[in-house]
Amino acid sequence: MSVVADVIQRYLPAKSKTTPSGWQSFNAVCCHHNGTTRDTRQRGGLISNPDGGVSYHCFNCGFKASWQPGRNLSYKMRKLLQWMNVPDSEISQVSLEVLRENEGVEAQERKLQLPVFNSVPLPDDAVKITDITDFDRYSMNVLEYMASRHLNVDDTDYFWCPSLGYRDRLIIPFYYDSRIVGWTARSVVPGKKPKYLSETQPGYVYGLDDQSYNKVFAIVCEGQIDAIHVEGCALGGSEISDQQAMLLNRLQKQIIVVPDRDAAGSKLVERAIELGFSVSMPNWSREINDIGDAVDRHGRLYTLHSIATCAEESPLKIRLQAKKWFN
Ligand SMILES: [Zn+2]
C-alpha cells in the first residue's frame, strides 16, 4: 500500500461498506465544505488501484480527488485529507514523503512510462442492460437503438441508467485490465445534444483487453461503437497520443488504423504512417463514411474482412489510396 492509500484507510469514516467492484462507500466528507447539504446516504466512494493510487468520488456534491504514484499530492487531495480529519502535520509528512519518492525518478523517464488509469464509477444507479427486469419506455428506446445499430448484448457489458440526465443514453464502460476506468454515454435520441457524455483519462485506448493473444492484428478506429463492431480498439478521437501509441505497440500485433472519411481522418492517416502502423481504407461505396455505416449496409463479417484485406503498410500506397478515400 502507498503512503497516501495508507493514511486514507486509517482516517476513513468507521461506517463504510465495500461494493463487489471494490468501491468503499461511506458518508461523504466533502459536501458541506462545498455548499451542499451533508451526506447521510453513503454517497462518498473510494477505490484503491493495484499500483497504490487512490480515487475519491462524491455522488452527492460531485467532488473528486485522486492520486497516482509518480505525482505529487494535489490541492484537492490535501483538502480531502483535511476533511477526513487528518491532522495538518500528518498531511505535510505524507506530502513530503511522496515528494521524496518522486524526486528519485527522472522526469524524462516518467514521461515515457505507460499511463496509469484510475478506476472510476459509472453514473450513479447504472445497471447492466442484461440485469434490467422491468423495461420502461426509456430503457426500451435504448434496446431499440442497439438493435438498429446491430449491437448485441454479448458484445460487452452495456449499461443503462434511469436518472434524468442518462435515461436516453446507452452507456459503454471503458475497461483496462478488467477495471472500469471510464465510460461514454451515447444519446439514443436523434439530434439530442450532447451526443456523448464521457469520462475518459489521457492516453486511454478503448478495447485493449479484447486484443487477445491469438489475434494477429488489432484494428484501431476513432469511436467506441465502431470498435465494438470489429472487436477493435478506439482512440476516442482522431489523434494518436504518444501514450496511446505506446499501449498499441505493446500489443505486439500489426496495428491497422481505419480512419473516418473526413478531414480529421486524413490527418490520422499521416500520424499512422509516422508511427509505422498499417492503414485500411476499404473500397466501400461512396455513402459509407465509417465502420458503423459499413456494418449497417453489409454486416460485421464483411466489414471486418474488407478491413483486413485492404490493410496497407507502404506509406506510398497508403497516400495514394487516401487520395481516393478522402476525395
Ligand atoms: Zn460531497
Side-chain angles (χ1 to χ4, degrees):
M1 199 188 287
S2 60
V3 284
V4 181
D6 174 68
V7 71
I8 290 181
Q9 286 305 326
R10 280 188 289 114
Y11 286 88
L12 207 62
K15 271 177 68 182
S16 75
K17 57 172 194 238
T18 306
T19 68
S21 48
W23 286 83
Q24 289 172 288
S25 56
F26 47 89
N27 282 339
V29 295
C30 42
C31 316
H32 61 288
H33 298 285
N34 296 325
T36 313
T37 27
R38 207 178 266 274
D39 170 37
T40 54
R41 294 170 51 211
Q42 302 205 317
R43 313 236 313 155
L46 181 85
I47 197 160
S48 304
N49 294 307
D51 61 1
V54 281
S55 306
Y56 172 85
H57 282 247
C58 174
F59 281 113
N60 197 43
C61 73
F63 178 83
K64 292 181 205 174
S66 64
W67 175 78
Q68 293 173 355
R71 300 237 178 110
N72 293 332
L73 223 52
S74 68
Y75 174 74
K76 282 180 152 185
M77 204 65 205
R78 283 161 169 276
K79 276 283 165 219
L80 177 67
L81 294 176
Q82 276 177 2
W83 297 340
M84 291 178 88
N85 296 318
V86 181
D88 283 344
S89 59
E90 204 168 338
I91 298 177
S92 306
Q93 206 186 333
V94 169
S95 152
L96 201 67
E97 244 175 273
V98 167
L99 205 67
R100 277 207 203 105
E101 272 175 32
N102 293 346
E103 273 174 356
V105 188
E106 282 288 314
Q108 194 59 23
E109 210 174 283
R110 211 179 307 149
K111 244 172 96 183
L112 290 172
Q113 269 173 13
L114 285 169
V116 176
F117 304 112
N118 283 325
S119 299
V120 304
L122 291 172
D124 209 5
D125 298 326
V127 286
K128 260 187 208 172
I129 294 269
T130 47
D131 289 343
I132 302 175
T133 45
D134 209 3
F135 282 91
D136 62 8
R137 70 187 170 99
Y138 299 104
S139 44
M140 274 312 291
N141 273 348
V142 170
L143 273 196
E144 276 162 23
Y145 171 80
M146 287 178 65
S148 74
R149 295 290 307 265
H150 308 281
L151 300 172
N152 311 318
V153 287
D154 47 5
D155 294 336
T156 181
D157 294 333
Y158 294 105
F159 283 81
W160 175 75
C161 176
S163 68
L164 189 63
Y166 292 101
R167 63 189 183 188
D168 290 322
R169 295 175 181 275
L170 172 65
I171 302 173
I172 299 171
F174 295 173
Y175 287 102
Y176 185 79
D177 282 345
S178 307
R179 289 181 297 117
I180 295 180
V181 301
W183 46 266
T184 185
R186 205 251 188 232
S187 165
V188 302
V189 178
K192 176 160 172 158
K193 300 250 163 82
K195 198 163 160 189
Y196 297 95
L197 291 172
S198 302
E199 166 126 3
T200 186
Q201 299 180 54
Y204 180 71
V205 177
Y206 177 86
L208 288 171
D209 282 10
D210 302 320
Q211 307 310 306
S212 53
Y213 170 77
N214 55 352
K215 282 192 188 177
V216 194
F217 54 80
I219 295 174
V220 176
C221 49
E222 299 182 27
Q224 290 86 19
I225 291 181
D226 284 351
I228 288 171
H229 282 309
V230 292
E231 286 179 36
C233 295
L235 300 164
S238 54
E239 280 168 26
I240 309 176
S241 71
D242 291 343
Q243 289 190 314
Q244 287 179 314
M246 210 186 304
L247 287 172
L248 290 168
N249 280 325
R250 209 169 60 128
L251 293 173
Q252 299 195 306
K253 298 180 192 297
Q254 183 190 9
I255 302 296
I256 304 176
V257 175
V258 182
D260 286 356
R261 250 176 183 163
D262 53 26
S266 119
K267 269 197 196 150
L268 177 58
V269 168
E270 281 305 312
R271 175 68 169 148
I273 291 173
E274 183 188 310
L275 290 166
F277 294 163
S278 302
V279 177
S280 181
M281 292 166 279
N283 40 8
W284 296 333
S285 52
R286 208 38 270 177
E287 66 279 8
I288 293 178
N289 283 312
D290 55 29
I291 290 176
D293 291 346
V295 170
D296 283 347
R297 175 66 80 91
H298 302 291
R300 284 187 178 183
L301 204 60
Y302 171 88
T303 304
L304 185 60
H305 180 75
S306 59
I307 291 171
T309 51
C310 296
E312 193 53 72
E313 272 177 80
S314 133
L316 182 71
K317 287 185 183 165
I318 293 173
R319 289 195 178 106
L320 277 172
Q321 284 181 1
K323 274 191 186 157
K324 275 196 282 177
W325 173 268
F326 292 106
N327 186 15

